[in-house]
């Protein structure tokens, strides 16, 4: 095989690998599965039993930093108890989302976190289990706050 043929084959392999990688990572657009996921997020009801939801917008720069293509941001309030829960569902390719977990994100925003612990919950008629991580995040200063964070994959 001549050097010219080797070069052509090598360039073909490199370009082919780049195209495959670009398709896998969504380099040239949102993969159809993620677009469908974003549409499914909009079907989550605003009323869940006695809980009443209110949508809010997560800023575009924060969604981009997390790598979120799909986003659902809601505050659900239970009127009888006066308790509010914030639900944030993010969907995207695993790169940024997997490295931008709440224990990293909230620590970067000035919160101190307890060590995350495993929290499991049974659901459905067959008793399947959903596993999450949970941690308490606290911030002191002029506007102190404490948040219970729960996240899963």
């Amino acid at each position: 095989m001549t050097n010219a043929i080797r070069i052509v084959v090598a360039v073909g392999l490199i370009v082919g690998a780049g195209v495959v990688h670009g398709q896998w990572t969504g380099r040239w657009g949102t993969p159809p599965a993620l677009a469908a996921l974003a549409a499914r997020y909009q079907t989550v009801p605003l009323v869940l039993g006695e809980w009443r939801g209110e949508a809010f917008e997560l800023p575009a720069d924060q969604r981009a930093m997390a790598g979120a293509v799909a986003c659902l941001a809601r505050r659900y309030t239970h009127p009888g108890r006066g308790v509010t829960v914030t639900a944030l569902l993010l969907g995207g390719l695993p790169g940024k989302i997997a490295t931008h977990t709440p224990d990293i994100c909230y620590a970067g925003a000035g919160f101190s976190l307890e060590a995350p612990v495993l929290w499991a919950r049974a659901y459905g008629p067959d008793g399947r289990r959903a596993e999450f991580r949970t941690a308490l995040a606290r911030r002191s200063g002029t506007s102190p706050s404490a948040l219970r964070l729960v996240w899963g994959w």
Side-chain angles (χ1 to χ4, degrees):
M1 201 186 295
T2 68
N3 282 339
I5 294 173
R6 288 181 183 155
I7 291 172
V8 168
V9 169
V11 167
L13 288 172
I14 291 169
V15 169
V19 168
V20 169
H21 184 266
Q23 291 295 324
W24 278 345
T25 61
R27 182 182 303 154
W28 300 294
T30 303
L34 283 179
L37 178 65
R40 285 183 57 205
Y41 278 15
Q42 301 314 309
T43 66
V44 174
L46 283 169
V47 177
L48 299 168
E50 295 182 39
W51 295 85
R52 303 292 178 255
E54 174 188 5
F56 67 92
E57 191 69 28
L58 190 67
D61 61 331
Q62 291 181 15
R63 289 192 316 268
M65 182 173 36
V69 175
C71 177
L72 175 118
R74 303 260 175 92
R75 285 186 194 88
Y76 287 94
T77 302
H78 191 285
R81 296 182 189 162
V83 175
T84 299
V85 173
T86 300
L88 179 62
L89 301 176
L90 300 176
L93 295 170
K96 288 184 181 179
I97 293 245
T99 59
H100 198 84
T101 56
D103 53 334
I104 302 300
C105 179
Y106 279 83
F111 285 85
S112 60
L113 270 78
E114 294 177 349
V117 295
L118 183 66
W119 180 64
R121 186 88 174 157
Y123 69 96
D126 59 355
R128 291 189 293 175
R129 292 172 52 91
E131 291 187 351
F132 301 92
R133 299 275 182 256
T134 182
L136 188 62
R138 290 189 172 98
R139 180 168 54 191
S140 57
T142 57
S143 336
S145 61
L147 304 170
R148 168 62 60 188
L149 306 175
V150 180
W151 68 97
W153 303 107

